[in-house]
Structures are given as C-alpha cells and as structure tokens.
Coordinates of all heavy atoms in Angstrom, one line a residue:
M1013 N 136.4 123.4 195.6 CA 136.7 123.0 194.2 C 135.4 122.6 193.5 O 134.5 121.9 194.2 CB 137.5 121.7 194.2 CG 139.0 122.0 194.3 SD 139.7 120.4 194.1 CE 141.3 120.7 193.7
S1014 N 135.2 123.0 192.3 CA 134.0 122.6 191.6 C 134.3 121.4 190.7 O 135.4 121.3 190.2 CB 133.5 123.7 190.8 OG 134.5 124.0 189.8
R1015 N 133.4 120.5 190.7 CA 133.5 119.3 189.8 C 133.1 119.6 188.4 O 132.1 120.4 188.2 CB 132.7 118.2 190.4 CG 133.2 117.7 191.7 CD 132.4 116.6 192.2 NE 132.7 115.4 191.4 CZ 132.3 114.2 191.6 NH1 131.4 114.0 192.6 NH2 132.6 113.2 190.9
I1016 N 133.8 119.1 187.5 CA 133.4 119.4 186.1 C 132.4 118.3 185.7 O 132.6 117.1 185.9 CB 134.7 119.2 185.2 CG1 135.7 120.3 185.6 CG2 134.2 119.3 183.7 CD1 137.0 120.2 184.8
S1017 N 131.3 118.8 185.2 CA 130.2 118.0 184.8 C 130.4 117.6 183.3 O 130.5 118.4 182.5 CB 128.9 118.7 184.9 OG 127.8 118.0 184.3
R1018 N 130.5 116.3 183.1 CA 130.7 115.8 181.7 C 129.5 115.0 181.3 O 129.0 114.2 182.1 CB 132.0 114.9 181.7 CG 133.2 115.7 181.9 CD 134.4 114.8 181.6 NE 135.6 115.6 181.8 CZ 136.8 115.1 181.8 NH1 137.0 113.8 181.7 NH2 137.9 115.8 182.0
E1019 N 129.1 115.2 180.1 CA 128.0 114.4 179.5 C 128.6 113.4 178.6 O 129.5 113.7 177.8 CB 127.1 115.3 178.8 CG 126.3 116.3 179.7 CD 125.3 117.1 178.9 OE1 124.9 116.7 177.8 OE2 125.0 118.2 179.4
I1020 N 128.0 112.2 178.6 CA 128.4 111.2 177.7 C 127.2 110.9 176.8 O 126.1 110.6 177.3 CB 128.8 109.9 178.5 CG1 130.0 110.2 179.4 CG2 129.1 108.8 177.6 CD1 130.4 109.1 180.3
I1021 N 127.5 110.9 175.6 CA 126.4 110.6 174.6 C 126.8 109.3 173.9 O 127.8 109.1 173.4 CB 126.4 111.7 173.5 CG1 126.0 113.1 174.2 CG2 125.4 111.4 172.4 CD1 126.1 114.2 173.2
I1022 N 125.8 108.4 174.0 CA 126.0 107.1 173.4 C 125.1 107.0 172.2 O 123.8 107.2 172.3 CB 125.6 106.0 174.4 CG1 126.5 106.1 175.6 CG2 125.7 104.6 173.8 CD1 126.2 105.1 176.8
V1023 N 125.6 106.7 171.1 CA 124.9 106.5 169.8 C 124.8 105.0 169.5 O 125.9 104.4 169.4 CB 125.5 107.3 168.7 CG1 124.8 107.1 167.4 CG2 125.6 108.8 169.1
V1024 N 123.6 104.5 169.3 CA 123.5 103.1 168.9 C 123.1 103.1 167.5 O 122.1 103.7 167.1 CB 122.4 102.5 169.8 CG1 122.2 101.0 169.4 CG2 122.8 102.6 171.3
V1025 N 123.9 102.4 166.7 CA 123.6 102.2 165.2 C 123.1 100.8 165.0 O 123.9 99.9 165.3 CB 124.8 102.5 164.4 CG1 124.5 102.4 162.9 CG2 125.3 103.9 164.7
P1026 N 121.9 100.6 164.5 CA 121.5 99.2 164.2 C 122.4 98.5 163.2 O 122.9 99.2 162.2 CB 120.1 99.4 163.7 CG 119.8 100.9 163.7 CD 121.0 101.6 164.1
I1027 N 122.5 97.2 163.3 CA 123.4 96.5 162.4 C 122.8 96.5 161.0 O 123.5 96.4 160.0 CB 123.5 95.0 163.0 CG1 124.7 94.3 162.2 CG2 122.3 94.2 162.8 CD1 126.0 94.8 162.5
S1028 N 121.5 96.6 160.9 CA 120.9 96.7 159.5 C 121.4 98.0 158.8 O 121.6 97.9 157.6 CB 119.4 96.7 159.6 OG 118.9 97.8 160.3
A1029 N 121.5 99.1 159.5 CA 122.0 100.3 158.9 C 123.5 100.1 158.4 O 123.9 100.6 157.4 CB 121.9 101.5 159.8
I1030 N 124.3 99.4 159.2 CA 125.7 99.2 158.9 C 125.7 98.2 157.6 O 126.5 98.5 156.7 CB 126.4 98.6 160.1 CG1 126.5 99.6 161.2 CG2 127.8 98.1 159.7 CD1 127.0 99.0 162.5
R1031 N 124.9 97.2 157.6 CA 124.9 96.3 156.5 C 124.5 97.0 155.2 O 125.0 96.8 154.1 CB 124.0 95.1 156.7 CG 124.5 94.2 157.7 CD 123.5 93.0 157.9 NE 124.0 92.1 158.9 CZ 123.2 91.5 159.7 NH1 121.9 91.6 159.7 NH2 123.8 90.7 160.7
E1032 N 123.4 97.9 155.3 CA 123.0 98.6 154.2 C 124.0 99.6 153.7 O 124.2 99.7 152.5 CB 121.7 99.5 154.6 CG 121.1 100.3 153.5 CD 120.0 101.1 153.9 OE1 119.4 100.8 155.0 OE2 119.6 102.0 153.2
F1033 N 124.8 100.2 154.6 CA 125.9 101.1 154.2 C 126.9 100.4 153.4 O 127.4 100.8 152.4 CB 126.5 101.8 155.4 CG 127.7 102.6 155.1 CD1 127.6 103.8 154.5 CD2 129.0 102.1 155.4 CE1 128.7 104.5 154.1 CE2 130.1 102.8 155.1 CZ 130.0 104.0 154.4
I1034 N 127.3 99.2 153.9 CA 128.4 98.4 153.3 C 127.9 97.9 151.9 O 128.6 98.0 150.9 CB 128.8 97.2 154.2 CG1 129.6 97.8 155.4 CG2 129.7 96.2 153.4 CD1 129.9 96.7 156.5
A1035 N 126.7 97.4 151.9 CA 126.2 96.8 150.6 C 126.0 97.9 149.5 O 126.4 97.7 148.4 CB 124.9 96.1 150.9
V1036 N 125.3 99.0 149.9 CA 125.0 100.0 148.9 C 126.1 101.0 148.6 O 126.5 101.2 147.5 CB 123.7 100.7 149.3 CG1 123.3 101.8 148.4 CG2 122.5 99.8 149.4
D1037 N 126.6 101.6 149.7 CA 127.5 102.7 149.5 C 128.9 102.2 149.1 O 129.5 102.8 148.2 CB 127.7 103.5 150.8 CG 126.4 104.3 151.1 OD1 125.7 104.6 150.1 OD2 126.2 104.7 152.2
I1038 N 129.4 101.1 149.7 CA 130.7 100.7 149.4 C 130.7 99.7 148.2 O 131.3 100.0 147.1 CB 131.4 100.1 150.6 CG1 131.6 101.1 151.7 CG2 132.8 99.4 150.2 CD1 132.1 100.7 153.0
I1039 N 130.0 98.6 148.3 CA 130.1 97.5 147.3 C 129.3 97.9 146.0 O 129.8 97.8 144.9 CB 129.5 96.2 147.9 CG1 130.4 95.7 149.0 CG2 129.4 95.1 146.8 CD1 129.9 94.5 149.7
G1040 N 128.1 98.5 146.2 CA 127.3 98.8 145.1 C 127.9 100.0 144.3 O 128.0 99.9 143.0
S1041 N 128.3 101.0 145.0 CA 128.9 102.1 144.3 C 130.2 101.8 143.5 O 130.5 102.2 142.4 CB 129.2 103.3 145.2 OG 128.0 103.8 145.7
T1042 N 131.1 101.0 144.2 CA 132.3 100.6 143.6 C 132.1 99.7 142.3 O 132.7 99.9 141.3 CB 133.2 99.8 144.6 OG1 133.4 100.6 145.7 CG2 134.5 99.5 144.0
T1043 N 131.1 98.8 142.5 CA 130.8 97.9 141.3 C 130.2 98.7 140.2 O 130.6 98.5 139.0 CB 129.7 96.9 141.8 OG1 130.3 96.1 142.9 CG2 129.4 95.9 140.6
F1044 N 129.3 99.7 140.5 CA 128.8 100.5 139.4 C 129.8 101.4 138.8 O 129.9 101.5 137.5 CB 127.7 101.4 140.0 CG 126.9 102.2 139.0 CD1 125.9 101.7 138.3 CD2 127.3 103.6 138.8 CE1 125.3 102.4 137.3 CE2 126.6 104.3 137.9 CZ 125.6 103.8 137.1
Y1045 N 130.7 101.9 139.6 CA 131.8 102.7 139.0 C 132.7 102.0 138.0 O 132.9 102.4 136.9 CB 132.7 103.3 140.2 CG 133.9 104.0 139.7 CD1 133.9 105.3 139.3 CD2 135.2 103.4 139.7 CE1 135.0 106.0 138.9 CE2 136.3 104.0 139.3 CZ 136.2 105.3 138.9 OH 137.3 106.0 138.5
Y1046 N 133.2 100.8 138.4 CA 134.0 100.0 137.5 C 133.3 99.4 136.4 O 133.8 99.3 135.3 CB 134.8 99.0 138.3 CG 135.9 99.6 139.1 CD1 135.9 99.6 140.5 CD2 137.0 100.1 138.4 CE1 137.0 100.2 141.2 CE2 138.1 100.7 139.1 CZ 138.0 100.7 140.5 OH 139.1 101.3 141.2
A1047 N 132.0 99.0 136.6 CA 131.2 98.5 135.4 C 131.0 99.6 134.4 O 131.2 99.3 133.2 CB 129.9 98.0 135.9
L1048 N 130.7 100.8 134.8 CA 130.5 101.9 133.8 C 131.9 102.3 133.2 O 131.9 102.5 132.0 CB 129.9 103.1 134.6 CG 129.3 104.2 133.7 CD1 128.2 103.6 132.8 CD2 128.9 105.3 134.5
K1049 N 132.9 102.3 134.0 CA 134.2 102.6 133.4 C 134.7 101.6 132.4 O 135.3 102.0 131.4 CB 135.2 102.8 134.6 CG 136.5 103.4 134.2 CD 137.3 103.8 135.4 CE 138.6 104.4 134.9 NZ 139.3 105.1 135.9
I1050 N 134.5 100.3 132.7 CA 134.9 99.3 131.7 C 134.1 99.3 130.5 O 134.5 99.1 129.4 CB 134.9 97.9 132.4 CG1 136.1 97.9 133.5 CG2 135.1 96.8 131.4 CD1 136.1 96.7 134.4
A1051 N 132.7 99.5 130.7 CA 131.8 99.4 129.6 C 132.0 100.6 128.6 O 131.8 100.4 127.4 CB 130.4 99.3 130.1
L1052 N 132.3 101.7 129.2 CA 132.4 103.0 128.3 C 133.8 103.5 128.3 O 134.0 104.7 128.2 CB 131.4 104.0 128.9 CG 130.0 103.7 129.0 CD1 129.2 104.8 129.7 CD2 129.4 103.4 127.7
K1053 N 134.8 102.6 128.2 CA 136.2 103.1 128.3 C 136.6 103.9 127.1 O 137.6 104.6 127.1 CB 137.1 101.9 128.4 CG 137.1 100.9 127.3 CD 137.9 99.7 127.6 CE 137.7 98.6 126.6 NZ 138.3 97.4 127.0
K1054 N 135.9 103.9 126.0 CA 136.3 104.6 124.8 C 135.8 106.1 124.9 O 136.3 106.9 124.2 CB 135.6 104.0 123.5 CG 136.1 102.6 123.3 CD 137.5 102.5 122.7 CE 137.8 101.1 122.4 NZ 139.1 101.0 121.9
L1055 N 134.8 106.4 125.7 CA 134.3 107.8 125.8 C 135.3 108.7 126.6 O 136.0 108.2 127.4 CB 133.0 107.8 126.5 CG 131.8 107.1 125.7 CD1 130.6 107.2 126.6 CD2 131.6 107.8 124.4
V1056 N 135.2 109.9 126.2 CA 136.1 110.9 126.8 C 135.7 111.2 128.3 O 136.6 111.3 129.2 CB 136.2 112.2 126.0 CG1 137.0 113.3 126.7 CG2 136.7 111.9 124.6
F1057 N 134.5 111.4 128.5 CA 134.0 111.8 129.8 C 133.5 110.7 130.7 O 132.5 110.8 131.5 CB 132.8 112.8 129.7 CG 133.3 114.1 129.0 CD1 132.8 114.5 127.7 CD2 134.2 115.0 129.7 CE1 133.3 115.6 127.2 CE2 134.6 116.2 129.1 CZ 134.1 116.5 127.8
V1058 N 134.1 109.5 130.6 CA 133.6 108.4 131.3 C 133.9 108.5 132.8 O 133.2 108.0 133.7 CB 134.2 107.0 130.7 CG1 135.7 106.9 131.0 CG2 133.4 105.9 131.3
E1059 N 135.0 109.1 133.1 CA 135.4 109.2 134.5 C 134.4 110.1 135.3 O 133.9 109.6 136.4 CB 136.8 109.9 134.6 CG 137.4 109.8 136.0 CD 138.0 108.5 136.4 OE1 138.3 107.7 135.5 OE2 138.0 108.2 137.6
P1060 N 134.1 111.3 134.9 CA 133.0 112.0 135.6 C 131.7 111.3 135.6 O 131.0 111.4 136.6 CB 132.9 113.4 134.8 CG 134.2 113.5 134.1 CD 134.6 112.1 133.8
L1061 N 131.3 110.6 134.6 CA 130.0 109.9 134.6 C 130.1 108.8 135.6 O 129.1 108.6 136.3 CB 129.8 109.3 133.2 CG 129.4 110.3 132.1 CD1 129.3 109.6 130.7 CD2 128.1 111.0 132.4
A1062 N 131.2 108.1 135.7 CA 131.3 107.0 136.6 C 131.2 107.5 138.1 O 130.6 106.9 138.9 CB 132.5 106.2 136.4
I1063 N 131.9 108.6 138.3 CA 131.9 109.2 139.7 C 130.5 109.6 140.0 O 130.0 109.4 141.1 CB 133.0 110.3 139.7 CG1 134.4 109.7 139.6 CG2 132.8 111.1 141.0 CD1 135.5 110.8 139.5
A1064 N 129.9 110.4 139.1 CA 128.5 110.9 139.4 C 127.6 109.7 139.6 O 126.7 109.8 140.5 CB 128.1 111.8 138.2
G1065 N 127.7 108.7 138.8 CA 126.8 107.5 138.9 C 127.0 106.8 140.3 O 126.0 106.4 140.9
S1066 N 128.2 106.7 140.7 CA 128.5 106.0 142.0 C 128.1 106.9 143.2 O 127.8 106.3 144.2 CB 130.0 105.7 142.1 OG 130.8 106.8 142.2
I1067 N 127.9 108.2 143.0 CA 127.4 109.0 144.0 C 125.9 109.0 144.1 O 125.2 109.0 145.1 CB 127.9 110.5 143.9 CG1 129.4 110.5 144.1 CG2 127.2 111.4 144.8 CD1 130.1 111.8 143.8
V1068 N 125.3 109.0 142.9 CA 123.8 109.1 142.8 C 123.2 107.7 143.1 O 122.1 107.7 143.7 CB 123.4 109.5 141.4 CG1 121.9 109.4 141.1 CG2 123.8 111.0 141.1
L1069 N 123.8 106.6 142.8 CA 123.3 105.3 143.1 C 122.8 105.1 144.5 O 121.6 104.7 144.8 CB 124.2 104.2 142.7 CG 123.8 102.8 143.0 CD1 122.7 102.4 142.0 CD2 125.0 101.8 142.9
P1070 N 123.6 105.4 145.6 CA 123.1 105.2 146.9 C 122.0 106.2 147.3 O 121.1 105.8 148.1 CB 124.4 105.5 147.8 CG 125.5 105.4 146.9 CD 125.1 105.7 145.5
L1071 N 122.0 107.4 146.8 CA 121.0 108.3 147.1 C 119.6 107.9 146.5 O 118.6 107.9 147.2 CB 121.3 109.7 146.5 CG 122.6 110.4 147.0 CD1 122.9 111.7 146.2 CD2 122.5 110.6 148.5
V1072 N 119.6 107.3 145.3 CA 118.4 106.8 144.7 C 117.9 105.6 145.5 O 116.7 105.5 145.8 CB 118.6 106.5 143.2 CG1 117.5 105.7 142.6 CG2 118.9 107.8 142.4
Y1073 N 118.8 104.7 145.8 CA 118.5 103.5 146.5 C 117.8 103.9 147.9 O 116.8 103.3 148.3 CB 119.7 102.6 146.8 CG 119.4 101.5 147.7 CD1 118.7 100.4 147.3 CD2 119.7 101.6 149.1 CE1 118.4 99.3 148.2 CE2 119.4 100.5 150.0 CZ 118.7 99.4 149.5 OH 118.4 98.4 150.4
K1074 N 118.4 104.8 148.6 CA 117.9 105.2 149.9 C 116.5 105.8 149.8 O 115.6 105.6 150.6 CB 118.8 106.1 150.6 CG 120.1 105.3 151.1 CD 121.1 106.2 151.7 CE 122.4 105.3 152.0 NZ 123.5 106.1 152.3
K1075 N 116.3 106.7 148.8 CA 115.0 107.3 148.5 C 113.9 106.2 148.3 O 112.8 106.2 148.9 CB 115.0 108.3 147.4 CG 115.8 109.5 147.6 CD 114.8 110.6 147.9 CE 115.6 111.9 148.0 NZ 114.9 112.9 148.7
V1076 N 114.2 105.3 147.4 CA 113.3 104.2 147.0 C 113.0 103.3 148.2 O 111.9 102.9 148.5 CB 113.8 103.4 145.8 CG1 112.9 102.2 145.6 CG2 113.8 104.3 144.6
A1077 N 114.1 102.9 148.9 CA 113.9 102.0 150.1 C 113.2 102.6 151.2 O 112.3 102.0 151.8 CB 115.3 101.6 150.6
H1078 N 113.4 103.9 151.5 CA 112.7 104.5 152.6 C 111.2 104.8 152.2 O 110.3 104.8 153.0 CB 113.4 105.8 153.0 CG 114.7 105.5 153.7 ND1 114.7 104.9 154.9 CD2 116.0 105.7 153.4 CE1 116.0 104.8 155.3 NE2 116.8 105.3 154.4
R1079 N 111.0 105.1 150.9 CA 109.6 105.3 150.4 C 108.8 104.0 150.6 O 107.7 104.1 151.0 CB 109.6 105.8 149.0 CG 108.2 106.1 148.5 CD 108.2 106.6 147.0 NE 109.2 107.7 146.8 CZ 109.8 107.9 145.7 NH1 109.5 107.2 144.6 NH2 110.6 108.9 145.5
S1080 N 109.4 102.9 150.2 CA 108.6 101.7 150.3 C 108.4 101.2 151.7 O 107.3 100.7 152.1 CB 109.3 100.5 149.5 OG 110.5 100.2 150.1
S1081 N 109.4 101.4 152.6 CA 109.2 101.1 154.0 C 108.2 102.0 154.6 O 107.4 101.6 155.5 CB 110.5 101.1 154.7 OG 111.0 102.4 154.8
A1082 N 108.2 103.3 154.3 CA 107.2 104.2 154.8 C 105.8 103.9 154.4 O 104.8 103.9 155.2 CB 107.5 105.6 154.4
S1083 N 105.6 103.5 153.1 CA 104.2 103.1 152.7 C 103.8 101.8 153.4 O 102.6 101.7 153.7 CB 104.2 103.0 151.2 OG 105.0 101.9 150.8
Q1084 N 104.7 100.9 153.6 CA 104.3 99.7 154.3 C 103.9 100.0 155.8 O 103.0 99.5 156.3 CB 105.4 98.6 154.3 CG 105.6 98.0 153.0 CD 106.9 97.1 152.9 OE1 107.6 97.1 153.9 NE2 107.1 96.5 151.8
R1085 N 104.7 100.9 156.4 CA 104.4 101.3 157.8 C 103.1 102.0 157.9 O 102.3 101.8 158.8 CB 105.6 102.2 158.3 CG 105.5 102.5 159.7 CD 106.6 103.3 160.3 NE 107.9 103.3 159.5 CZ 108.4 104.3 158.8 NH1 107.8 105.5 158.9 NH2 109.5 104.2 158.1
D1086 N 102.8 102.9 156.9 CA 101.5 103.6 156.9 C 100.3 102.7 156.7 O 99.3 102.8 157.3 CB 101.5 104.7 155.8 CG 102.5 105.8 156.1 OD1 102.9 105.9 157.2 OD2 102.8 106.5 155.1
G1087 N 100.5 101.7 155.9 CA 99.5 100.7 155.7 C 99.2 99.9 157.0 O 98.0 99.6 157.3
R1088 N 100.2 99.5 157.7 CA 100.0 98.8 158.9 C 99.4 99.6 160.0 O 98.5 99.2 160.7 CB 101.4 98.2 159.5 CG 101.9 97.1 158.7 CD 103.1 96.5 159.4 NE 104.1 97.4 159.6 CZ 105.3 97.3 159.0 NH1 105.6 96.3 158.3 NH2 106.2 98.3 159.2
V1089 N 99.7 100.9 160.0 CA 99.1 101.8 161.0 C 97.7 102.0 160.7 O 96.8 102.0 161.6 CB 99.9 103.2 161.0 CG1 99.1 104.2 161.8 CG2 101.3 103.0 161.6
A1090 N 97.3 102.2 159.4 CA 95.9 102.4 159.0 C 95.1 101.2 159.3 O 94.0 101.2 159.8 CB 95.9 102.8 157.6
A1091 N 95.7 100.0 159.1 CA 95.0 98.7 159.4 C 94.8 98.6 160.9 O 93.7 98.1 161.4 CB 95.7 97.5 158.8
A1092 N 95.8 98.9 161.7 CA 95.6 98.8 163.1 C 94.6 99.8 163.7 O 93.9 99.5 164.6 CB 97.0 99.1 163.8
R1093 N 94.5 101.0 163.1 CA 93.6 102.0 163.5 C 92.1 101.5 163.2 O 91.2 101.8 164.0 CB 93.8 103.3 162.9 CG 95.0 104.0 163.4 CD 95.2 105.4 162.8 NE 96.4 106.0 163.2 CZ 97.0 107.0 162.6 NH1 96.5 107.4 161.5 NH2 98.1 107.5 163.1
S1094 N 91.9 101.0 162.1 CA 90.6 100.6 161.7 C 90.1 99.3 162.2 O 88.9 99.1 162.3 CB 90.5 100.6 160.1 OG 91.3 99.5 159.6
S1095 N 90.9 98.4 162.7 CA 90.5 97.1 163.1 C 89.9 97.1 164.5 O 88.9 96.4 164.8 CB 91.7 96.1 163.0 OG 92.7 96.5 163.9
T1096 N 90.5 97.8 165.5 CA 90.0 97.7 166.8 C 89.7 99.1 167.4 O 90.6 99.9 167.5 CB 91.1 97.0 167.7 OG1 91.5 95.8 167.1 CG2 90.6 96.8 169.1
P1097 N 88.5 99.3 167.7 CA 88.2 100.7 168.3 C 88.8 100.8 169.7 O 88.8 99.8 170.4 CB 86.7 100.7 168.3 CG 86.2 99.3 168.2 CD 87.3 98.5 167.5
I1098 N 89.1 101.9 170.1 CA 89.7 102.2 171.4 C 88.5 102.5 172.3 O 87.7 103.4 172.1 CB 90.7 103.4 171.4 CG1 91.8 103.1 170.4 CG2 91.2 103.7 172.8 CD1 92.7 104.3 170.2
P1099 N 88.4 101.7 173.4 CA 87.3 102.0 174.4 C 87.6 103.4 175.1 O 88.7 103.7 175.4 CB 87.4 100.9 175.4 CG 88.8 100.3 175.3 CD 89.3 100.6 173.9
R1100 N 86.5 104.1 175.2 CA 86.6 105.4 175.8 C 86.1 105.3 177.3 O 85.0 104.7 177.5 CB 85.8 106.4 175.0 CG 86.2 106.5 173.6 CD 86.3 107.9 173.2 NE 86.7 107.9 171.8 CZ 87.8 108.5 171.3 NH1 88.5 109.2 172.1 NH2 88.1 108.5 170.1
L1101 N 86.8 105.9 178.1 CA 86.4 106.0 179.5 C 85.5 107.2 179.8 O 85.8 108.3 179.3 CB 87.6 106.0 180.5 CG 88.5 104.7 180.4 CD1 89.7 104.9 181.3 CD2 87.7 103.5 180.8
S1102 N 84.5 107.0 180.5 CA 83.6 108.1 180.8 C 83.7 108.4 182.3 O 83.8 107.5 183.2 CB 82.2 107.7 180.5 OG 81.3 108.8 180.9
L1103 N 83.7 109.7 182.7 CA 83.8 110.1 184.0 C 82.4 110.2 184.7 O 82.3 110.3 185.9 CB 84.5 111.4 184.2 CG 86.0 111.5 183.7 CD1 86.5 112.9 183.8 CD2 86.8 110.5 184.6
Q1104 N 81.4 110.0 183.9 CA 80.1 110.1 184.4 C 79.6 108.7 184.7 O 79.6 107.8 183.9 CB 79.1 110.7 183.4 CG 79.5 112.1 183.0 CD 78.7 112.6 181.8 OE1 77.9 111.9 181.2 NE2 78.9 113.9 181.5
D1105 N 79.1 108.5 185.9 CA 78.6 107.1 186.3 C 77.2 107.2 186.7 O 76.6 108.0 187.2 CB 79.4 106.6 187.5 CG 80.8 106.1 187.1 OD1 81.0 105.7 186.0 OD2 81.7 106.2 188.0

C-alpha cells in the first residue's frame, strides 16, 4: 500500500493587516459610501458614485500607506549602509 503524501500550508496573517482591513475596507468604505449618499441624495447618479468611491478609497489608502512605509524603510537601509562599514576578510596572511 502506498501512503498518500499530504502537504499542509500554514498562512500567518499579522494582526496589523487584519486591523488595517477592518478599519479601511469595512469601516472606511462604508462610512464614505453613506456620507456621499446622504450628502448628494438629490443627484441622479449618486449610487454609482458612492459605490465607486467606496471601492477606490481602500486602493488609494493602500498605495499611499505602502509608499510612505517603503520610503521610510529605504531611508533606514541607506542610513544603516552608510554608518558602519563592513569589515572585509582577506585570505592573504
């Protein structure tokens, strides 16, 4: 008899990613949708505008948030590279 080999994949999601999803995607988008819908209730095309806005809001937030975190990370890496030189080992004695 042959044994069936099964692979188990474990995915770890950081709690910060879950908090960001809840805050931006669920709460932020819903708030933006209803705020736009209430503010512009007299317009004919308010429903598509509110839906589009609630979809675009998380996308814009994530682009801006990841851009700022990447620039901070690049600054720290550049500072770490320039501050301490790496000693080189020589094979010649």
Side-chain angles (χ1 to χ4, degrees):
M1013 274 186 163
S1014 66
R1015 295 182 72 177
I1016 297 175
S1017 171
R1018 291 188 181 171
E1019 293 184 21
I1020 298 174
I1021 298 174
I1022 298 173
V1023 178
V1024 178
V1025 179
I1027 192 71
S1028 61
I1030 295 171
R1031 286 182 185 145
E1032 180 182 344
F1033 173 76
I1034 291 172
V1036 175
D1037 290 337
I1038 297 175
I1039 297 172
S1041 294
T1042 305
T1043 304
F1044 186 80
Y1045 173 80
Y1046 283 110
L1048 194 63
K1049 193 167 175 165
I1050 290 171
L1052 302 174
K1053 61 184 169 189
K1054 299 283 183 181
L1055 294 179
V1056 175
F1057 296 112
V1058 72
E1059 190 76 24
L1061 288 175
I1063 291 171
S1066 66
I1067 292 171
V1068 170
L1069 178 72
L1071 299 175
V1072 170
Y1073 171 78
K1074 289 174 186 171
K1075 289 258 186 203
V1076 171
H1078 291 294
R1079 183 182 306 153
S1080 66
S1081 67
S1083 66
Q1084 290 173 355
R1085 189 177 338 113
D1086 291 342
R1088 286 191 299 245
V1089 169
R1093 286 182 186 160
S1094 64
S1095 64
T1096 309
I1098 299 172
R1100 304 227 181 234
L1101 297 176
S1102 175
L1103 296 176
Q1104 300 170 355
D1105 286 332

